[in-house]
Amino acid sequence: MTRRTNGEGSIFKRTDGHPSARYTFNGKRIDITGKTQAEVKRKLKSTLSELEKATNMGNPDYIEKRKTTLEDWLYYWLETFIKNTVRPSTYRGYEALIRKHIVPSIGHHKMCELNLPILQEFFNSKKRTSVNDKSPDKLSEKTIKNMRNMMNYAFRKAQENGLLLHDILSGVITPSVPKREINVLTHMEQDKLIATVKEHLDTWPSGFAITFALFTGLREGELLGLRWMDIDLNSHNPLIHVRHSLGRQIDIHNESNNNSILRLDEPKTNNSIRDIPIIPQLYDDLLEYRNIQSVRKTEIGKSQKLTDFVFPNKNFTAYEPRGFITKYKELLKKCKLYDVNVHTLRHTFATRSLERGVDIKTLSKILDHARPSITLDRYGSSLPNHQRECMNKLSSLYLSL
């Protein structure tokens, strides 16, 4: 029998009666199986086309590389190309998406098996079915898009390394997901929360961070990462210089004995580095808060330093986010407020700002949104009374006709 060369294949029936195909590549004979002859024929044609393309691209090892599973490649990509090139928080986010969502669903597929239908069905399976869908295996629209961007990066590297021969992700459409309405404190709830903070400043001084967030729009990590050196207390133009964010992250560099480490990091993007003006009333309360903090430090033999955290724990060191949240929830119970996470304070700041006539562009910069359209899309619909007031401004024009 003449030895088959690359690109040849034949279809035959096995002894059990099922159809099979055999082809030769670089001297190796490989079998393809399927339920029907049509399926085997289709698989054979697709495989031979891939092998021909791989040969033309100078990728003779493709036959071995194509056996790599998606799970194996993603973890290799994560450790080899990502770990030492991105922020720990970015690495943590990628690792979680791979471990919790991608691997359990499609991680078993070989790279050569991946195609548009498999990937599209995977992304469709991740969309929330309603605004109240809190299933752990479902994701928001933003997270789904982030996951697609991450996979696109990983697949480009797979192409560069000969595991994929073409772009298999470009045709995938990320599904739209119902958006949850943002939670905003009413004026009465906001007043009640601020009053409760003041009542308990003796037992929890750093609770002032809650009031501070309601009038600055800072994120939780930015709030806890704020140091006195980041605040310009010039009475003529007091400013917050947002330069860092505090958070617990996976210890990817083995800097501690734990799996995670409390880290003060620079913001994710250049836009996050920004200055926020402090209103006069908040400035006065901040000075009083700083004086009280300084006295308490002196009482235990500590000096006031610019590198000290503005909102520290009881030992005047970095506040563990989980510990802050625990105290925050205790305070909420005292004023009978529920389902009010720290981000609600930011939403409330944005809503109150729009109610007072702050323009979208300025607010967008304060909130660190990439585009003003994001701010408008997120908060514009929460101001029906404001919309009515704007429309009523046309009344005089109508009457003059």
Side-chain angles (χ1 to χ4, degrees):
M1 179 183 292
T2 305
R3 186 177 181 181
R4 293 187 179 276
T5 59
N6 289 343
E8 294 185 2
S10 61
I11 299 177
F12 58 92
K13 279 190 176 182
R14 299 187 307 187
T15 55
D16 59 6
H18 289 94
S20 180
R22 177 172 294 163
Y23 66 91
T24 303
F25 186 79
N26 285 350
K28 294 182 179 180
R29 290 200 299 183
I30 300 167
D31 291 339
I32 294 177
T33 59
K35 294 181 179 180
T36 65
Q37 185 170 339
E39 180 185 355
V40 171
K41 189 174 182 179
R42 176 177 53 79
K43 285 184 176 180
L44 176 62
K45 183 178 179 181
S46 175
T47 301
L48 293 178
S49 175
E50 283 188 5
L51 293 176
E52 181 181 5
K53 186 174 182 180
T55 302
N56 293 336
M57 292 171 62
N59 186 9
D61 297 329
Y62 178 69
I63 193 65
E64 294 299 325
K65 292 179 178 178
R66 72 195 300 272
K67 297 178 183 178
T68 304
T69 63
L70 176 59
E71 177 181 0
D72 290 340
W73 170 251
L74 286 178
Y75 280 123
Y76 174 80
W77 168 79
L78 189 66
E79 295 301 309
T80 306
F81 299 104
I82 299 300
K83 187 173 184 177
N84 297 313
T85 60
V86 300
R87 288 160 42 95
S89 58
T90 302
Y91 173 91
R92 178 185 60 186
Y94 284 177
E95 189 276 335
L97 286 174
I98 293 170
R99 172 172 45 84
K100 295 180 180 179
H101 298 281
I102 301 175
V103 168
S105 298
I106 57 174
H108 63 282
H109 282 288
K110 295 176 182 177
M111 295 296 285
C112 63
E113 296 173 342
L114 294 174
N115 55 35
L116 181 58
I118 290 174
L119 294 172
Q120 187 65 64
E121 287 175 13
F122 164 68
F123 280 98
N124 290 346
S125 72
K126 289 297 165 183
K127 70 173 283 189
R128 289 175 180 156
T129 56
S130 68
V131 293
N132 296 318
D133 187 354
K134 297 183 179 180
S135 304
D137 62 332
K138 303 298 182 182
L139 299 170
S140 67
E141 185 171 340
K142 181 177 183 295
T143 304
I144 290 176
K145 288 181 178 179
N146 290 342
M147 183 167 63
R148 187 188 186 281
N149 291 337
M150 180 200 73
M151 292 178 69
N152 187 49
Y153 185 17
F155 285 178
R156 287 206 310 269
K157 281 296 178 185
Q159 278 186 264
E160 293 174 12
N161 285 268
L163 279 79
L164 292 174
L165 299 180
H166 53 85
D167 182 2
I168 59 174
L169 200 62
S170 60
V172 171
I173 300 173
T174 52
S176 58
V177 178
K179 294 181 180 179
R180 295 178 185 172
E181 290 188 11
I182 60 173
N183 191 18
V184 176
L185 294 174
T186 65
H187 290 269
M188 187 177 296
E189 289 172 337
Q190 182 173 345
D191 291 343
K192 184 192 295 186
L193 181 56
I194 292 173
T196 306
V197 167
K198 289 181 178 179
E199 289 174 13
H200 294 85
L201 280 178
D202 286 341
T203 55
W204 189 36
S206 287
F208 181 60
I210 296 170
T211 303
F212 202 79
L214 282 168
F215 289 93
T216 59
L218 290 177
R219 300 180 178 92
E220 178 191 326
E222 295 170 340
L223 198 64
L224 298 183
L226 203 62
R227 295 177 294 176
W228 287 110
M229 64 187 295
D230 300 321
I231 299 182
D232 186 346
L233 292 174
N234 184 326
S235 59
H236 299 293
N237 185 30
L239 290 171
I240 305 165
H241 304 296
V242 183
R243 299 291 182 269
H244 297 92
S245 180
L246 182 73
R248 182 156 289 280
Q249 303 169 0
I250 291 177
D251 185 13
I252 63 176
H253 299 298
N254 300 318
E255 298 176 29
S256 70
N257 296 325
N258 300 319
N259 293 327
S260 62
I261 186 171
L262 191 62
R263 182 188 294 275
L264 188 67
D265 263 344
E266 292 183 359
K268 201 168 187 178
T269 65
N270 290 332
N271 288 335
S272 300
I273 299 175
R274 62 200 190 280
D275 292 340
I276 300 176
I278 303 174
I279 61 174
Q281 299 87 337
L282 184 64
Y283 172 76
D284 292 339
D285 285 346
L286 181 62
L287 287 181
E288 183 180 352
Y289 167 78
R290 186 171 185 264
N291 290 335
I292 294 173
Q293 186 182 98
S294 182
V295 169
R296 293 196 175 195
K297 284 181 179 179
T298 301
E299 290 174 352
I300 62 172
K302 285 182 175 287
S303 60
Q304 185 85 336
K305 300 177 182 176
L306 289 176
T307 54
D308 289 346
F309 289 97
V310 177
F311 305 112
N313 60 24
K314 62 181 181 180
N315 298 317
F316 297 104
T317 58
Y319 218 133
E320 180 73 47
R322 188 175 296 179
F324 180 83
I325 296 300
T326 298
K327 295 289 291 184
Y328 172 67
K329 288 181 177 179
E330 290 175 0
L331 196 76
L332 289 177
K333 286 182 180 179
K334 290 173 182 175
C335 53
K336 297 181 180 180
L337 289 176
Y338 307 97
D339 194 26
V340 181
N341 58 36
V342 176
H343 214 69
T344 298
L345 308 179
R346 178 174 162 87
H347 291 324
T348 302
F349 164 79
T351 303
R352 295 290 105 85
S353 297
L354 289 175
E355 288 173 350
R356 297 300 190 277
V358 176
D359 66 272
I360 290 292
K361 189 172 182 180
T362 299
L363 181 60
S364 178
K365 287 184 178 180
I366 292 174
L367 293 174
D368 174 35
H369 287 163
R371 298 178 303 279
S373 59
I374 295 175
T375 312
L376 186 61
D377 178 59
R378 190 164 297 174
Y379 300 108
S381 60
S382 65
L383 299 171
N385 293 334
H386 180 68
Q387 293 172 6
R388 170 57 59 188
E389 291 171 4
C390 291
M391 291 301 293
N392 286 341
K393 291 178 180 179
L394 298 175
S395 297
S396 59
L397 177 62
Y398 185 84
L399 293 173
S400 65
L401 296 177

